[in-house]
Amino acid sequence: MKSVVSITTKSVQDVQNYLGYYGFGGSQGYTTQQEVEGSGSGIIVGKNDDNLLIATNYHVVSGADTVSVTCIDGETYAATVNGYDEDKDLAVVSVPLSDISDDTMDQIEVATIGSSDDLKVGEQVVAIGNALGYGQSVTTGIVSALNRTISTDTGASAYIQTDAAINPGNSGGALFNMNGELVGINTAKVSSTDVEGMGYAIPISQVLELIESMMNGYQV
């Protein structure tokens, strides 16, 4: 849990306000700008001389005017998007080390990276993330399937399927094996009254090089 952070974003969006109807079924209205807040999760994946580096989903930070991260001790820090890849739905945000208190540094850790290539169906896993924006929560389940291809807003990719509960706000959070090693980045779930326990995570072994590139400012 020391390696997982909550991410909060704020953006200004145009909102259409309708006053009513006129004429032949037409609508009359006006547009206003409203501040919209979003929430997600992130994983501390590195630290250099200047910054703490946190991996998350691109859709968590896309379009955000401001990004902030809240660490396990409850302290919140301003962050900037360091790099991203929209097609892979991945991003890295950074927090200047000079902004982070010594107390927080004592309580956070860089995640230990595992191997998603070594996962087996039926193996137990733990998901940690900022479910519904309430702060860190932990759910557990098993690896339901490997290399499961699904289509999302950013295209079709192969994912780890798990029945660990993945809720809104868990996006960008961690999927750990039972050794506490990061094996996936939670990214999507099937949401339907007919479906239970179908969550998906990006396999960490497939994107490690990409994350390292984004830590150095790579953007697509």
Side-chain angles (χ1 to χ4, degrees):
M1 293 180 70
K2 295 180 177 182
S3 303
V4 180
V5 301
S6 301
I7 295 180
T8 302
T9 61
K10 292 183 179 180
S11 60
V12 176
Q13 299 180 9
D14 290 334
V15 177
Q16 185 69 36
N17 298 275
Y18 292 99
L19 297 175
Y21 294 92
Y22 68 95
F24 299 95
S27 61
Q28 185 179 20
Y30 60 96
T31 300
T32 60
Q33 289 192 325
Q34 294 183 7
E35 187 176 72
V36 177
E37 188 171 288
S39 62
S41 306
I43 309 154
I44 301 171
V45 290
K47 183 175 65 172
N48 57 27
D49 292 340
D50 301 312
N51 295 297
L52 191 70
L53 299 161
I54 298 161
T56 186
N57 287 142
Y58 172 76
H59 76 259
V60 170
V61 297
S62 174
D65 295 315
T66 63
V67 179
S68 59
V69 303
T70 302
C71 299
I72 190 172
D73 62 348
E75 294 298 318
T76 300
Y77 300 95
T80 57
V81 178
N82 206 66
Y84 61 85
D85 188 313
E86 183 175 358
D87 289 340
K88 296 295 185 182
D89 195 22
L90 287 170
V92 169
V93 302
S94 59
V95 179
L97 292 177
S98 58
D99 292 349
I100 303 174
S101 72
D102 291 340
D103 287 342
T104 297
M105 289 301 298
D106 288 341
Q107 296 187 57
I108 60 177
E109 290 181 0
V110 175
T112 300
I113 307 299
S115 172
S116 56
D117 292 339
D118 294 337
L119 285 175
K120 294 179 173 58
V121 173
E123 182 175 344
Q124 192 170 3
V125 286
V126 172
I128 303 178
N130 179 25
L132 298 180
Y134 293 152
Q136 280 197 19
S137 65
V138 181
T139 57
T140 186
I142 62 170
V143 175
S144 303
L146 297 168
N147 299 314
R148 185 72 83 197
T149 301
I150 63 168
S151 296
T152 65
D153 293 340
T154 56
S157 298
Y159 296 92
I160 302 164
Q161 181 184 327
T162 178
D163 66 349
I166 307 295
N167 294 293
N170 272 114
S171 291
L175 190 71
F176 291 109
N177 63 20
M178 297 313 292
N179 293 321
E181 298 167 335
L182 180 68
V183 292
I185 299 174
N186 300 321
T187 191
K189 66 175 293 186
V190 176
S191 182
S192 167
T193 55
D194 299 327
V195 177
E196 291 185 10
M198 294 184 70
Y200 297 91
I202 299 169
I204 194 65
S205 298
Q206 294 183 14
V207 294
L208 268 180
E209 290 186 8
L210 177 59
I211 289 173
E212 290 174 358
S213 296
M214 291 188 293
M215 289 165 68
N216 293 318
Y218 172 82
Q219 298 182 356
V220 171

